[in-house]
Amino acid sequence: MKLIHFTGILWPKILSKPSILMKLPFFFFVFSSFQLFAINSFSQDKVSLNIQKGSLESIMSTIEGQTPYRFVFNNDELNIKDKFDINVKDEKIDRTLKLLFHSTPITYTIKNNYIVLSKAKDQNAKFTISGVVKDAVNGETLLGATVHLKGTSIGSTTNEYGFYSITAPEGNYTLIISYIGFTPFEREIDLRSNQKLDIELKEDAAQLDEVVITAEESKKVDLSTPQMSVAKLSTRDIKQIPVVLGEVDLVKAIQLLPGVANAGEGASGFNVRGGAEDQNLILLDEAIIYNASHVFGFFSVFNADAIKDVKLYKGGIPARFGGRASSVLDIRQKDGNSKEFGLTGGIGSVSSRLAAEGPLFKDKGSFLMAGRASYVDIFLALANQSSRAGFYDFNLKTNYEIDGKNRLYLSGYLGHDNFNVAGAGFTNSYGNLSGNLRWNHIFNNKLFSNASLIYSRYNYNLELEGMDWTSDISNYNMRYDFEYYASDKLTFDFGVNGIYYKFNPGRINPLDATSYVNPEKLDNKFALEAGAYAGLEHKISGKLTAQYGLRFSYFNRLGKQTLNNYANNLPVVYNEELGIYERAEPISNTNYGKGKSIATFNNLEPRFALSYQLNEKSSFKASYNRMAQYLHLISNTASATPLDVWAPSGKFIDPQIADQYAVGYFRNLKENKFSIETEAYYKTIDNRVDYINGAELVTQNTIETEILTGEARAYGVEFLLRKNEGDFTGWLAYTWSKSQQRTPGGAAGGLGINNGKWYNSNWDRTHDFSFTGSYKFNEKWRFGANMVFQTGRPVTYPNGQFIYNGLSIATYSERNADRLPAYHRLDLSATLTPRKNKNRKWQDEWVFGIYNAYNRKNAASISFGQNQKTGVTEATRTAIFGIVPSVTYNFKF
């Protein structure tokens, strides 16, 4: 009897030959007749076998000879060459087969008179799908795209370079990849081996016509991931928000989210969950940005045309980040269009911008160049003003694909500001410079790495009253990061980094021979910061997911400096007679040679986050993180200025240590059209630097004589309601919070600052409400609005006065016991898109804006002085902006 290799041989040949297919009726007649003959000829269901070292083929042939059954199998799949032993007598066929195959990878199914053989699935066998997700139009990698297997809990998101990896048991699945504004990708996959699958997503035509404003890159809250306290913005979101003078501003956009406050009217600085500005780590393509403002804070340094992704971590900060106590603002530049050349730009009220991008190296790479420059000087000149103010910046990024597993990136930023007040002898300039060379390497379908060499520099210059003062901070940063996708339940990330700092606090020179200023050079400072980290995301069950992380940080304040020594090691002492803190006199000094260690610190920084999905619509999350900050911004102003100086921890300044706890409830409503995010947090910070009354910080070589060390705390509740779909989209954010500081006298004596009692920090805002919305009226017109209300910023007002030698001397209340009036405003915008855009390559639009539509005179400060004529003490309010209209023309080619 000839074996019927039915599945493996016969059907592929039949289906591949139409001539055979036409004869199928005759074939079925013959086959059916043969089957009927076989059934009638063999009525028994039992077999007798006594075979030693027999082949599978001979055993099957013997069984077919004794029974009406026929074997059906795929010869290529089975490929069994082993020899078998079997001894049965009048045994039923089912029992015989069990004995025959019990120790083999063969399984069988008896149906009618056929015995179908197949290779048993290995229940432990798992395979991996990996690849890179890109935009089909411009070739940009898409970070944060969702990748999952339909009908399972197995999924992941693409990393910062568009790479994904998911592992699942052997089987057939539907792979789905989705990203906001793009048509979801679906493909049936037969997962029987590891697969590499690079995907290009196409833009959704329906989404292109709809303005989507959301604080996330997805239309709904991700309920399963433990990551919380994160705000995400796309450039599409940012460009819809009305801003001062029509200048698109990334930092202004994040200030509209809960937990983020601004430092004052027109300032680009920001405060996160009650933290100071220097406690924010700002990264542009991994390079540290020390001052993120143009024109003293009216605009930020980030050109929206060059930005691909913005992510602000307010809490639950991953272990790969370190060095700051409050937040991480992670900004990624575009890679550049790898498909075709294009131009993007705009002409605004105070500046213009232009970006060019296109393919390089025969489509194995791409480039992006973006520039922006202001022309305020032109308007000042037309108004016969000799004062000058302006800025420019330049962004560059290029990449090259060496092969399917290796890619190089080179990115950079250059920005510069200058400001001159005619007749006042005041000139100021400052700027940022950064560069990053990165190497992406894919070891295999589970292990991804990125190595970076980074340089950052921030410099500032001041000319005032015959003095020329220059200062800068620079660093060299090396890091090597890995991501290992171990399984569908475990994902690891780990790495190391090291940063070498050079601080130049200032060099003072006379401007000319008539200047009374003596040349002076403040001591340079050097330091090394290093870190190693490991993180794990663990899907414990279908509802419970956890993230664990641990970072070890090390800081070494290096020598090449002479430091003073003070009695009892106290650079500040309390004068009980006068009731004030004074600078201590040095008793000796110590010279630390080049490379010698002045002080070392190390800290373990644990991180933990947990997500429990209550149901398909809601989840509960909690997180804890500890952060160590070794750099300090020496400033006693409410918001950062270009004249502020960065100083490292060392002999007299300990690193700041922050601990933050957060819990949250998240819910998607009405099929994800709405979402709600609520979070509560509590944060403490040890070793927070505070300044004695009358502190002199500028050109200070012994900064330790101006400061005391205290502690800070912040707590609050955040609420965010979002509407994600429809002609009207937007969000409503509210934060109730407290931010306080306390500085006891400690070893220096006395009660401390503010008598050692808690006082409001400069950035405390009890109530912070904002509304942001966009309405698509028709194909031509789109309207936007912002409404902001904030509790006034804390200040210290005089509470009395006395006369001394004919002079009026003010006395003051406790530190920051008073407040400026409440801050509020309304911004409006209208965008006109010509209908002819649809049929041409040149796309353009007009954006009309009104900042502070009802002309609210918000107080930036209130000063007190004596009227020279009446002798009465008067308060003077200073407001920076009233109503400000703007027009911007944007284009894309």
Side-chain angles (χ1 to χ4, degrees):
M1 177 66 64
K2 185 178 181 180
L3 298 180
I4 304 174
H5 298 186
F6 195 73
T7 303
I9 297 177
L10 185 59
W11 278 116
K13 290 184 178 180
I14 291 175
L15 295 177
S16 65
K17 296 186 178 181
S19 60
I20 296 179
L21 198 60
M22 295 176 65
K23 298 177 181 179
L24 278 178
F26 174 74
F27 167 79
F28 281 122
F29 171 76
V30 174
F31 186 83
S32 299
S33 299
F34 175 80
Q35 181 184 11
L36 182 61
F37 170 77
I39 293 173
N40 291 333
S41 301
F42 305 97
S43 58
Q44 67 179 28
D45 192 23
K46 296 181 179 182
V47 296
S48 295
L49 298 170
N50 186 4
I51 299 176
Q52 301 295 322
K53 304 299 182 182
S55 67
L56 179 60
E57 183 175 349
S58 65
I59 294 173
M60 289 191 294
S61 179
T62 302
I63 293 174
E64 286 185 338
Q66 297 180 19
T67 69
Y69 294 100
R70 299 293 177 266
F71 286 90
V72 178
F73 62 93
N74 185 324
N75 194 50
D76 293 333
E77 179 183 2
L78 294 184
N79 193 26
I80 301 298
K81 298 180 180 180
D82 296 339
K83 301 298 182 180
F84 293 82
D85 298 331
I86 185 166
N87 185 5
V88 295
K89 185 174 183 181
D90 293 331
E91 190 65 72
K92 288 185 178 181
I93 187 67
D94 185 55
R95 173 64 177 167
T96 300
L97 294 175
K98 283 183 179 178
L99 291 172
L100 179 64
F101 298 128
H102 80 279
S103 60
T104 70
I106 299 175
T107 185
Y108 66 91
T109 302
I110 301 176
K111 191 170 184 180
N112 295 326
N113 280 53
Y114 296 105
I115 302 172
V116 181
L117 303 182
S118 60
K119 195 171 184 179
K121 287 186 178 179
D122 183 356
Q123 299 300 318
N124 297 319
K126 292 186 177 182
F127 300 100
T128 300
I129 315 168
S130 63
V132 176
V133 180
K134 296 182 178 182
D135 184 334
V137 175
N138 55 33
E140 286 277 354
T141 55
L142 300 178
L143 57 153
T146 301
V147 183
H148 74 282
L149 300 178
K150 188 176 182 180
T152 74
S153 60
I154 300 172
S156 181
T157 56
T158 56
N159 68 7
E160 290 82 358
Y161 303 95
F163 179 80
Y164 74 93
S165 176
I166 55 175
T167 300
E170 179 180 354
N172 295 314
Y173 299 96
T174 300
L175 177 68
I176 299 178
I177 302 178
S178 57
Y179 191 78
I180 187 170
F182 290 79
T183 302
F185 170 89
E186 290 192 22
R187 176 178 292 183
E188 300 295 325
I189 58 170
D190 184 11
L191 191 59
R192 300 186 187 280
S193 61
N194 294 331
Q195 299 181 25
K196 185 177 185 298
L197 186 60
D198 294 336
I199 301 299
E200 290 190 344
L201 297 185
K202 297 181 179 179
E203 289 186 317
D204 189 337
Q207 290 287 346
L208 290 176
D209 293 334
E210 179 180 335
V211 178
V212 180
I213 295 183
T214 171
E216 301 287 345
E217 281 286 358
S218 61
K219 287 187 177 182
K220 61 180 181 179
V221 178
D222 191 340
L223 302 175
S224 61
T225 175
Q227 187 65 69
M228 62 182 298
S229 307
V230 176
K232 303 177 185 177
L233 286 172
S234 68
T235 53
R236 180 186 299 177
D237 305 334
I238 297 167
K239 290 182 177 180
Q240 305 305 320
I241 299 174
V243 291
V244 62
L245 296 173
E247 190 68 29
V248 174
D249 198 313
L250 182 156
V251 175
K252 295 293 193 305
I254 65 172
Q255 291 173 4
L256 297 171
L257 299 171
V260 187
N262 65 345
E265 178 79 74
S268 277
F270 61 97
N271 307 97
V272 177
R273 290 186 170 176
E277 282 192 49
D278 68 313
Q279 294 173 343
N280 303 318
L281 177 63
I282 303 175
L283 301 174
L284 178 62
D285 274 351
E286 301 179 324
I288 300 173
I289 301 298
Y290 292 95
N291 187 337
S293 69
H294 279 312
V295 194
F296 296 108
F298 291 120
F299 313 110
S300 76
V301 300
F302 307 110
N303 183 347
D305 289 339
I307 301 302
K308 176 166 64 173
D309 182 78
V310 179
K311 190 179 294 183
L312 175 68
Y313 296 88
K314 300 180 291 183
I317 299 173
R320 68 180 181 274
F321 296 114
R324 297 294 186 275
S326 279
S327 75
V328 177
L329 180 60
D330 189 16
I331 303 168
R332 302 281 171 162
Q333 294 188 118
K334 293 179 180 178
D335 298 331
N337 193 322
S338 62
K339 303 288 186 177
E340 60 182 4
F341 180 80
L343 292 174
T344 305
I347 302 172
S349 302
V350 296
S351 70
S352 291
R353 63 190 193 279
L354 180 66
E357 54 185 326
L360 278 179
F361 312 116
K362 297 182 179 180
D363 298 333
K364 291 183 70 68
S366 60
F367 77 93
L368 167 77
M369 292 189 296
R372 184 173 55 159
S374 68
Y375 31 73
V376 179
D377 283 355
I378 298 176
F379 295 121
L380 292 174
L382 293 175
N384 293 320
Q385 295 289 327
S386 54
S387 297
R388 291 290 180 264
F391 68 88
Y392 66 84
D393 51 36
F394 180 74
N395 299 76
L396 169 69
K397 191 169 184 180
T398 184
N399 66 89
Y400 175 70
E401 182 180 5
I402 301 172
D403 54 39
K405 292 187 175 183
N406 296 277
R407 182 180 287 270
L408 293 176
Y409 292 84
L410 177 65
S411 59
Y413 170 80
L414 170 66
H416 186 77
D417 280 73
N418 63 83
F419 184 72
N420 173 268
V421 179
F426 175 83
T427 299
N428 179 230
S429 62
Y430 59 95
N432 293 279
L433 172 68
S434 70
N436 186 1
L437 176 63
R438 282 174 287 174
W439 168 45
N440 283 179
H441 178 63
I442 301 174
F443 286 92
N444 51 50
N445 54 21
K446 289 178 176 286
L447 184 59
F448 177 92
S449 73
N450 178 73
S452 299
L453 296 174
I454 310 164
Y455 174 76
S456 295
R457 183 174 184 265
Y458 173 60
N459 67 286
Y460 32 101
N461 171 260
L462 172 68
E463 294 181 8
L464 177 65
E465 297 180 352
M467 175 188 71
D468 179 21
W469 177 39
T470 60
S471 182
D472 64 82
I473 174 175
S474 59
N475 69 70
Y476 301 87
N477 185 356
M478 295 184 293
R479 59 182 307 127
Y480 201 9
D481 302 292
F482 298 84
E483 292 178 70
Y484 180 61
Y485 303 82
S487 68
D488 58 310
K489 298 184 183 300
L490 295 173
T491 302
F492 293 89
D493 65 299
F494 53 95
V496 294
N497 80 290
I499 307 176
Y500 176 77
Y501 296 98
K502 178 184 177 182
F503 304 83
N504 170 22
R507 179 187 295 274
I508 304 169
N509 289 307
L511 279 176
D512 51 52
T514 62
S515 174
Y516 64 90
V517 175
N518 293 319
E520 183 179 358
K521 174 67 177 72
L522 303 184
D523 293 342
N524 286 341
K525 300 177 177 68
F526 304 89
L528 174 67
E529 182 177 354
Y533 73 91
L536 169 67
E537 182 167 320
H538 182 196
K539 294 181 181 179
I540 301 172
S541 68
K543 292 187 174 182
L544 185 63
T545 305
Q547 282 182 345
Y548 324 97
L550 182 64
R551 182 180 184 86
F552 172 77
S553 60
Y554 169 83
F555 191 83
N556 190 346
R557 172 72 184 278
L558 300 173
K560 202 177 178 181
Q561 186 180 7
T562 299
L563 296 181
N564 289 335
N565 298 313
Y566 303 92
N568 301 317
N569 204 34
L570 295 175
V572 174
V573 295
Y574 184 69
N575 187 323
E576 293 187 3
E577 236 183 89
L578 299 177
I580 61 173
Y581 286 96
E582 295 180 331
R583 303 167 186 86
E585 291 295 329
I587 57 175
S588 64
N589 58 61
T590 302
N591 179 52
Y592 296 89
K594 182 178 180 181
K596 297 294 183 180
S597 178
I598 296 175
T600 60
F601 308 91
N602 56 77
N603 285 282
L604 286 176
E605 305 173 33
R607 319 286 170 88
F608 176 76
L610 188 72
S611 171
Y612 182 76
Q613 193 163 343
L614 302 172
N615 50 50
E616 292 183 354
K617 296 182 179 180
S618 62
S619 69
F620 171 84
K621 301 184 182 184
S623 69
Y624 163 77
N625 65 249
R626 165 168 282 202
M627 306 284 285
Q629 177 170 336
Y630 299 99
L631 304 189
H632 309 263
L633 187 63
I634 306 303
S635 170
N636 56 2
T637 59
S639 61
T641 74
L643 307 182
D644 297 333
V645 176
W646 289 86
S649 297
K651 185 176 179 180
F652 301 106
I653 306 177
D654 290 331
Q656 301 177 67
I657 306 296
D659 292 281
Q660 182 177 178
Y661 307 83
V663 294
Y665 175 75
F666 305 83
R667 186 175 181 87
N668 290 313
L669 303 171
K670 294 187 178 295
E671 298 180 347
N672 305 324
K673 292 181 180 178
F674 294 85
S675 60
I676 294 175
E677 302 175 39
T678 57
E679 293 191 39
Y681 66 89
Y682 182 80
K683 177 166 60 178
T684 62
I685 301 175
D686 295 330
N687 304 323
R688 179 63 186 163
V689 170
D690 205 347
Y691 307 97
I692 63 175
N693 293 328
E696 297 179 3
L697 304 182
V698 178
T699 67
Q700 180 59 259
N701 207 31
T702 56
I703 198 67
E704 67 271 11
T705 62
E706 313 297 317
I707 61 176
L708 290 175
T709 300
E711 60 181 329
R713 68 183 181 187
Y715 49 91
V717 179
E718 301 170 357
F719 174 82
L720 179 65
L721 171 65
R722 298 184 290 150
K723 185 176 185 297
N724 303 313
E725 299 178 9
D727 290 334
F728 176 77
T729 56
W731 71 77
L732 185 153
Y734 171 73
T735 305
W736 177 90
S737 63
K738 288 297 295 178
S739 175
Q740 297 175 309
Q741 191 162 335
R742 179 172 65 181
T743 309
L751 295 176
I753 306 298
N754 201 53
N755 293 321
K757 296 186 295 185
W758 288 103
Y759 66 90
N760 295 325
S761 67
N762 289 332
W763 38 88
D764 176 66
R765 305 265 194 184
T766 308
H767 302 284
D768 190 343
F769 167 88
S770 64
F771 165 78
T772 300
S774 177
Y775 176 66
K776 179 186 175 184
F777 182 71
N778 55 34
E779 297 298 323
K780 290 183 63 176
W781 287 99
R782 183 173 69 247
F783 301 98
N786 299 330
M787 180 175 286
V788 177
F789 175 89
Q790 297 174 339
T791 301
R793 183 169 53 81
V795 292
T796 304
Y797 286 153
N799 60 0
Q801 63 180 359
F802 61 91
I803 305 299
Y804 179 76
N805 289 336
L807 297 176
S808 177
I809 308 298
T811 61
Y812 289 86
S813 61
E814 294 184 336
R815 185 175 289 195
N816 286 349
D818 304 293
R819 290 186 182 273
L820 295 174
Y823 178 95
H824 54 88
R825 72 172 199 273
L826 171 68
D827 309 327
L828 302 172
S829 70
T831 303
L832 171 62
T833 304
R835 285 194 172 95
K836 58 185 178 180
N837 272 2
K838 289 187 176 181
N839 301 317
R840 62 176 185 173
K841 288 187 175 182
W842 182 273
Q843 307 279 312
D844 60 355
E845 64 180 14
W846 290 90
V847 181
F848 306 94
I850 301 178
Y851 180 88
N852 196 1
Y854 53 83
N855 200 27
R856 162 75 175 176
K857 301 294 185 181
N858 287 298
S861 65
I862 293 180
S863 58
F864 294 83
Q866 188 178 40
N867 188 302
Q868 297 297 322
K869 293 182 179 180
T870 64
V872 176
T873 300
E874 297 177 335
T876 303
R877 173 188 294 203
T878 301
I880 297 178
F881 290 118
I883 184 171
V884 182
S886 63
V887 178
T888 303
Y889 174 72
N890 296 321
F891 59 87
K892 183 178 181 180
F893 174 75

